[in-house]
Amino acid sequence: MRYLLLLFFFSFSGYSQIVNYSGVLTDDMGMPIPGVNICIRGTNTCVQSDFDGNYDIKVRVGQELEISYIGMQTRYVKITQGSGRPFGNEEVQPILSNDFAHSIKEENDTLQATGPSGTASYSNNTYYLQDVVNIKKDGNNVYSFVNGHDKTRLYIDLYTEFLAGVPMRERSFQNRFAQGRSIGGELAYRGPETNEIFSWGPQLSTLHISDNATPWYPGGDIVPGIGSRIPVFGANGFFRTSTENKTSFTARLDMHQKGDLKLNLTYRSATGNLPEVKNNDLATTLSYSRNHNNHRFNGTFNFNRFEDKLSNANFVHNKAVFANAVTPPHFDNNAGIVLPDGTPCSFSRLENNPYYLLQNNRDASENTAMSLSVSDWYVNDRLTNDLRLLSQYSDRRTTGGNIPLAAQVAVPDYTDRREKYSLLSIEDAFEYDDQDHTKFGAGLNLKYQQRDLSRQYGLGFDGPESYPGAANDQYTLSKTQDRAEAALNLNLAHNLREIVGYDDELKVSVGGNFAASSTYTGMVYGGLSGNFRWNDLLFRRLSLYGSAIARQYEPIIQNNNLYFNSLAYSLEDLKLMRNHQELFAPNATTTTREKVYTAGISYDNWPLRMNLELYQKKVADMYAPLNTGGTFSWLPSVNYEQKGLEFSVLYDHPRNDRERFSFSHDLHFTAYENKVTGLSRNLDRLPFAGFADVNKNYIEGQPVGAIVGSVYERDAYGNKVIGTDGFPLVAGSPAVIGDPNPDFVLGLSTQANYKDLYVRVGFDWSKGGDLWNGTSQTLDHYGVSQGTAQQRDVTGYVFNGVTQTGQPNTQPVSFYDPSLPVEQNRWVRYGVGGVAEDAIEDATFFRLHNISVGYNGRIPYGKSSLGLVVSVFVNNVFILSKSDTAFANNTLFNSADTSGLDYFNAPLQRMYGLSVAVKF
């Protein structure tokens, strides 16, 4: 069996009852082990060892550490009074006692035994003495041992990662039919000069390229007849392989008694799977920590800067994907982006050229954020006190709008949005432990935050040359919000032992918090909590636990999710969409109230760990975007409840001294149900994500996020009502058409280790739930989908249903009759989004989420060795689902609220990656 060797050394140790336990973890070959979990048993307090095996954890005498690592036997360490040396002045013990000196002396000895030459100061931990590099003696004859870890050391970590994302699950487009429509009983080709938007024209095989050049076809126009074959351009060629490069440098100077200084620099650059999408960010962290007497000081400064050269602030990503997808198969958007007259070169002036949109759009964002935190952790006898000061500042700027000459944009617009946010927080947490059964804690938190938002709007531009600097009409939105808060937290915990047996222990705690705010309409709000954990009940390693929490909280004042603006636009207005409205917390707020109940059972007996938890959550007066006559307000409007269960199993197969192979399995299962229990202001429903005509909603009695859209008209028995022309009729009002919440989600990861090599595989399975695939409906409408190419010649089809008089329908129809206007065919008649209920698909999927192969070990380097971690991995290896293209986890606008909605989302990617870390 392979064991962890625990080499402990103490930067400061167990005076009173609390110690700062630090050390180095190595294997039986003496190699440091990174990523080892060190947890205080029965708590959620855990740390991990760094690349060199170093770790540091605050622990109380009498508690037990659990030290675990995949493939190695878990160790348990009981913290006792002798686990370390005390804080402050250390007790001085004689190197050689007088009694021992006299006992070895004989009368006639010529060699006289000497008395003690001094006293010694050292840790009483055995492993501390195994790395002694020097012994020093001061003027008071006090000897001290210099351990190898006491010397100043410099640690350097280098990390680099490269990712490449290849689009997957791409849509199938037809390549047989040309731009055009039915006219006078014939299928007519209609080129860009006609501004035709449909691809319901004749077969490409009946057309050829002429000798007449046009601005749209410089190599020759398309005309009827047999001749030169017309080339076809695949819409999926629009998407690129995305890339991401990340490099990180970390230097840590361990100065032992003088503290620990650490610097981290990380730079990342990336390109998206759409042309022109680029972003980069820089992150810097500088921290210093030091132990002195009864204190542990820490200071950390963070600086981050992020730039996105083409953000989706005004939905330009979705607009570009749409423009590319509806293009006729024979039109090349990339051949000429601008016509000789300076206007965009698109297959119709009513539609966009996606490359023109991306190259000329001004959607961009940049964010600069800084923070400084200082803390002092103090321990004295039975008391601990944790004092923290935090200061944050961010400056975020977002620009963009609908550019001049974009299709159907009558009034171009531009906005320059800038938000400055600052936060100052002081928090002090105090705890008293009687070292027997009871703990008492109190905390005080003082916080001040301020948000300054300004938006410069420009409307109407004479042309691209004046955009965005010279608008015909300008106006400004400016608003400052601030909030001062004070919160007091009190908690009491008590342990009871041997209630039903010899080893069982019951831990019970209660707490309360009380808060006041400058924006709260009342005087004080707060909450109460209580929880218990009964360990070793009935038999060892079995625990029961539960909790009840009731709390209140105000809405945040910093809300940067502006995608609610899409709710003001129908699907046919996608080209006009912009994020021009803001959500502000009211100047006088009420609180959201939340109650959470949990009950669970856990079994922890290495190598097996299991946990089952049931929970229920009730939320009242949750804030949501409320649309009143086209103006959105952020108000407390929703009550809902959710209940569910979570189950997890971890099996960690060990390896002994003779085995070089080990494996582990980690399984997680979750299932839940939710429903809206009430809406304020007499609302029937409250849309919160999507579009004006298809959206996710809060509806009383329905699941959270119920999808609402257009449906077919039905009689009292649920039969579709068929019109006189033989096609189903559409109901006058929208209805609930889907539930995006899955029945359950199951995740499984497994890892196999051989020496320093490992292979890791992860799966996930989501069962049930619905998604709305509006993209397919729109592609059908334009006549560019593969399905319309296959079905447009269907004739004599009879829709199941009843006539308006209640009789069974017998009227045969043709899906696309050239003798009728194109607006009457099977797909165009229902509009650009079709009938929403037809777009509902089962969201069930099974995914091989990740495969990674790696090496984690050390390689010889001169007289020493280097730590080396190399990983090659693939994410989204494959997906099996009921839908061929849409995917439940691929959200609209990249906003979590829009999960379950697909309308020209960026394609899912299969990610290939390589990462290398070197530790000096």
Side-chain angles (χ1 to χ4, degrees):
M1 193 73 64
R2 192 178 183 189
Y3 293 91
L4 297 173
L5 298 183
L6 314 178
L7 303 184
F8 300 111
F9 63 98
F10 301 93
S11 53
F12 66 95
S13 284
Y15 83 94
S16 301
Q17 298 293 323
I18 295 180
V19 296
N20 196 60
Y21 218 51
S22 56
V24 181
L25 297 172
T26 67
D27 60 15
D28 48 13
M29 301 298 293
M31 294 296 184
I33 307 175
V36 177
N37 291 315
I38 301 98
C39 299
I40 301 175
R41 295 200 66 195
T43 74
N44 293 323
T45 303
C46 296
V47 299
Q48 278 195 340
S49 61
D50 64 18
F51 193 84
D52 298 295
N54 299 302
Y55 72 94
D56 191 308
I57 188 170
K58 302 177 184 73
V59 63
R60 190 176 296 278
V61 170
Q63 290 181 316
E64 190 175 17
L65 289 183
E66 177 182 299
I67 304 174
S68 60
Y69 186 70
I70 294 175
M72 293 188 176
Q73 181 174 339
T74 301
R75 292 288 304 275
Y76 299 95
V77 178
K78 188 77 170 180
I79 305 302
T80 65
Q81 291 283 5
S83 294
R85 57 185 170 90
F87 276 104
N89 297 325
E90 303 164 7
E91 296 183 6
V92 179
Q93 303 294 337
I95 291 180
L96 186 62
S97 70
N98 291 328
D99 291 340
F100 180 69
H102 289 298
S103 69
I104 64 173
K105 181 179 179 182
E106 297 182 5
E107 284 189 26
N108 298 322
D109 276 347
T110 57
L111 178 62
Q112 299 294 317
T114 64
S117 60
T119 57
S121 168
Y122 65 93
S123 167
N124 61 0
N125 187 278
T126 305
Y127 290 109
Y128 184 85
L129 302 179
Q130 293 184 355
D131 193 23
V132 173
V133 296
N134 195 9
I135 300 176
K136 294 182 178 180
K137 180 180 178 182
D138 63 16
N140 296 320
N141 292 328
V142 176
Y143 290 90
S144 62
F145 294 87
V146 180
N147 186 276
H149 296 286
D150 294 336
K151 301 178 66 176
T152 297
R153 292 187 172 189
L154 176 63
Y155 301 91
I156 295 178
D157 300 349
L158 299 177
Y159 177 83
T160 185
E161 180 180 80
F162 174 77
L163 297 173
V166 179
M168 60 183 296
R169 296 172 62 81
E170 295 175 301
R171 298 182 179 274
S172 298
F173 296 89
Q174 64 93 358
N175 57 10
R176 294 169 49 201
F177 297 94
Q179 183 178 3
R181 64 172 63 201
S182 56
I183 299 178
E186 300 290 337
L187 298 181
Y189 168 74
R190 290 162 56 86
E193 68 280 359
T194 68
N195 292 324
E196 177 64 67
I197 65 171
F198 294 123
S199 292
W200 291 105
Q203 292 197 37
L204 290 173
S205 60
T206 65
L207 307 173
H208 73 280
I209 299 176
S210 71
D211 295 331
N212 297 323
T214 68
W216 298 275
Y217 294 103
D221 198 7
I222 296 176
V223 296
I226 306 300
S228 301
R229 184 174 180 272
I230 298 175
V232 173
F233 306 94
N236 290 325
F238 175 67
F239 301 107
R240 306 289 194 263
T241 297
S242 67
T243 61
E244 180 177 323
N245 292 275
K246 181 180 179 180
T247 302
S248 177
F249 168 83
T250 302
R252 182 170 69 90
L253 186 63
D254 183 356
M255 298 177 288
H256 192 52
Q257 298 296 336
K258 295 182 180 180
D260 190 275
L261 183 65
K262 186 176 182 179
L263 172 67
N264 175 265
L265 301 172
T266 301
Y267 177 75
R268 186 187 69 89
S269 63
T271 61
N273 54 19
L274 300 183
E276 308 298 328
V277 174
K278 300 178 181 179
N279 56 70
N280 60 79
D281 59 89
L282 173 68
T284 303
T285 301
L286 178 64
S287 64
Y288 175 76
S289 61
R290 183 176 181 178
N291 305 322
H292 180 69
N293 292 335
N294 300 339
H295 297 264
R296 181 174 181 84
F297 300 101
N298 179 269
T300 301
F301 173 76
N302 290 289
F303 175 85
N304 298 277
R305 181 169 178 80
F306 174 80
E307 295 182 349
D308 191 342
K309 299 300 184 181
L310 190 67
S311 69
N312 200 26
N314 285 280
F315 313 101
V316 67
H317 289 190
N318 300 78
K319 294 175 183 178
V321 174
F322 176 98
N324 170 72
V326 301
T327 300
H330 51 79
F331 189 86
D332 185 4
N333 284 308
N334 202 24
I337 299 175
V338 178
L339 296 174
D341 63 359
T343 60
C345 180
S346 60
F347 72 93
S348 168
R349 291 188 184 275
L350 300 177
E351 302 295 337
N352 285 305
N353 182 312
Y355 294 95
Y356 181 86
L357 280 183
L358 297 177
Q359 289 184 10
N360 293 276
N361 209 281
R362 297 296 187 271
D363 281 14
S365 65
E366 57 184 39
N367 184 37
T368 301
M370 294 177 286
S371 69
L372 175 65
S373 63
V374 180
S375 66
D376 173 29
W377 191 74
Y378 173 78
V379 180
N380 185 9
D381 196 15
R382 301 182 178 186
L383 307 178
T384 63
N385 192 79
D386 194 358
L387 177 64
R388 297 178 180 271
L389 171 67
L390 173 64
S391 175
Q392 292 180 339
Y393 173 80
S394 64
D395 185 350
R396 180 170 183 166
R397 184 186 182 194
T398 305
T399 61
N402 289 312
I403 60 177
L405 304 181
Q408 302 185 30
V409 175
V411 181
D413 62 87
Y414 180 79
T415 179
D416 188 338
R417 179 184 187 272
R418 189 162 189 177
E419 180 196 57
K420 297 181 180 180
Y421 176 80
S422 56
L423 167 71
L424 179 63
S425 172
I426 301 176
E427 182 178 2
D428 187 69
F430 162 86
E431 182 180 281
Y432 171 80
D433 189 341
D434 70 356
Q435 307 302 325
D436 188 11
H437 297 287
T438 305
K439 295 180 183 179
F440 170 76
L444 178 65
N445 190 337
L446 304 177
K447 182 190 299 183
Y448 176 78
Q449 51 184 324
Q450 178 174 294
R451 180 199 193 200
D452 291 316
L453 177 70
S454 65
R455 292 189 70 159
Q456 304 291 329
Y457 293 91
L459 294 175
F461 296 84
D462 295 333
E465 65 282 350
S466 64
Y467 188 82
N472 297 328
D473 187 19
Q474 295 183 347
Y475 65 98
T476 300
L477 168 67
S478 181
K479 188 175 181 66
T480 297
Q481 296 173 281
D482 59 5
R483 179 183 293 166
E485 301 171 73
L488 175 66
N489 301 294
L490 302 173
N491 57 81
L492 179 67
H494 188 71
N495 294 352
L496 301 172
R497 296 183 177 89
E498 301 179 7
I499 300 175
V500 297
Y502 180 73
D503 295 322
D504 68 304
E505 178 184 40
L506 176 63
K507 299 180 179 181
V508 181
S509 64
V510 294
N513 66 83
F514 312 93
S517 164
S518 61
T519 57
Y520 179 54
T521 54
M523 292 293 293
V524 177
Y525 62 91
L528 298 172
S529 66
N531 62 77
F532 76 92
R533 188 176 187 90
W534 204 336
N535 295 323
D536 297 326
L537 180 65
L538 302 181
F539 54 89
R540 286 185 59 81
R541 310 300 187 189
L542 181 69
S543 299
L544 294 179
Y545 63 90
S547 66
I549 301 173
R551 68 188 187 106
Q552 296 173 275
Y553 51 88
E554 289 186 279
I556 60 174
I557 67 171
Q558 185 184 31
N559 190 336
N560 286 310
N561 186 353
L562 303 181
Y563 293 119
F564 69 90
N565 280 281
S566 64
L567 291 166
Y569 299 89
S570 63
L571 295 174
E572 63 181 6
D573 293 329
L574 173 70
K575 305 177 187 69
L576 306 178
M577 284 173 31
R578 61 191 181 111
N579 280 331
H580 61 287
Q581 293 196 51
E582 296 277 346
L583 288 180
F584 296 104
N587 293 329
T589 67
T590 57
T591 59
T592 296
R593 303 181 306 280
E594 183 177 288
K595 297 179 180 179
V596 182
Y597 308 96
T598 64
I601 182 171
S602 65
Y603 177 74
D604 184 358
N605 190 12
W606 178 87
L608 180 64
R609 298 179 185 176
M610 294 190 297
N611 189 81
L612 173 64
E613 180 174 295
L614 305 176
Y615 70 89
Q616 182 181 37
K617 178 168 68 173
K618 296 182 178 181
V619 178
D621 290 335
M622 184 180 70
Y623 279 70
L626 179 62
N627 188 354
T628 307
T631 300
F632 287 88
S633 303
W634 201 26
L635 297 172
S637 308
V638 181
N639 301 340
Y640 78 93
E641 65 178 18
Q642 178 169 306
K643 57 184 178 181
L645 67 86
E646 295 183 355
F647 176 68
S648 64
V649 179
L650 173 63
Y651 181 79
D652 185 5
H653 177 269
R655 55 177 160 183
N656 56 38
D657 296 335
R658 293 172 296 177
E659 292 180 328
R660 297 182 177 181
F661 176 80
S662 66
F663 60 85
S664 64
H665 307 290
D666 193 355
L667 180 144
H668 291 269
F669 174 88
T670 181
Y672 64 88
E673 293 180 351
N674 56 40
K675 69 175 181 179
V676 177
T677 56
L679 295 174
S680 64
R681 299 169 179 82
N682 298 317
L683 295 171
D684 294 326
R685 65 185 181 99
L686 198 164
F688 65 88
F691 302 90
D693 39 4
V694 181
N695 39 59
K696 295 177 66 175
N697 291 258
Y698 300 114
I699 304 175
E700 187 170 356
Q702 292 288 335
V704 173
I707 303 173
V708 171
S710 58
V711 296
Y712 292 109
E713 184 177 338
R714 286 180 165 81
D715 65 9
Y717 301 99
N719 299 306
K720 289 181 181 178
V721 178
I722 310 301
T724 56
D725 59 1
F727 286 94
L729 299 176
V730 179
S733 301
V736 174
I737 57 177
D739 174 10
N741 299 286
D743 298 331
F744 67 80
V745 177
L746 177 69
L748 173 65
S749 64
T750 184
Q751 177 169 320
N753 305 279
Y754 179 75
K755 295 185 178 180
D756 295 324
L757 302 175
Y758 68 86
V759 177
R760 185 182 299 120
V761 180
F763 302 87
D764 53 353
W765 176 25
S766 179
K767 174 66 171 64
D770 300 310
L771 63 85
W772 172 73
N773 187 355
T775 304
S776 293
Q777 298 283 88
T778 297
L779 297 181
D780 289 346
H781 175 81
Y782 276 81
V784 295
S785 68
Q786 186 69 265
T788 57
Q790 296 169 348
Q791 298 181 34
R792 66 177 63 193
D793 294 330
V794 171
T795 60
Y797 186 86
V798 178
F799 283 96
N800 290 326
V802 297
T803 65
Q804 291 170 285
T805 60
Q807 301 300 312
N809 177 52
T810 59
Q811 174 75 34
V813 299
S814 297
F815 281 5
Y816 183 27
D817 186 349
S819 66
L820 298 175
V822 69
E823 290 82 6
Q824 295 184 27
N825 80 22
R826 163 72 178 84
W827 298 277
V828 179
R829 66 171 48 238
Y830 293 117
V832 67
V835 181
E837 74 168 90
D838 281 340
I840 292 296
E841 300 178 357
D842 189 340
T844 297
F845 69 85
F846 176 83
R847 172 170 57 169
L848 177 53
H849 185 269
N850 170 270
I851 294 180
S852 59
V853 179
Y855 170 86
N856 185 349
R858 303 191 72 86
I859 59 176
Y861 179 72
K863 297 182 179 180
S864 183
S865 62
L866 296 178
L868 179 64
V869 179
V870 180
S871 179
V872 179
F873 55 90
V874 183
N875 296 334
N876 287 331
V877 183
F878 70 78
I879 297 174
L880 302 176
S881 66
K882 298 291 184 68
S883 174
D884 294 331
T885 53
F887 183 57
N889 289 7
N890 191 21
T891 58
L892 179 70
F893 313 138
N894 292 323
S895 173
D897 289 343
T898 61
S899 62
L901 301 179
D902 186 297
Y903 200 66
F904 298 95
N905 301 359
L908 196 66
Q909 300 182 85
R910 179 177 294 114
M911 303 298 298
Y912 300 89
L914 169 67
S915 64
V916 179
V918 181
K919 305 282 186 173
F920 297 89

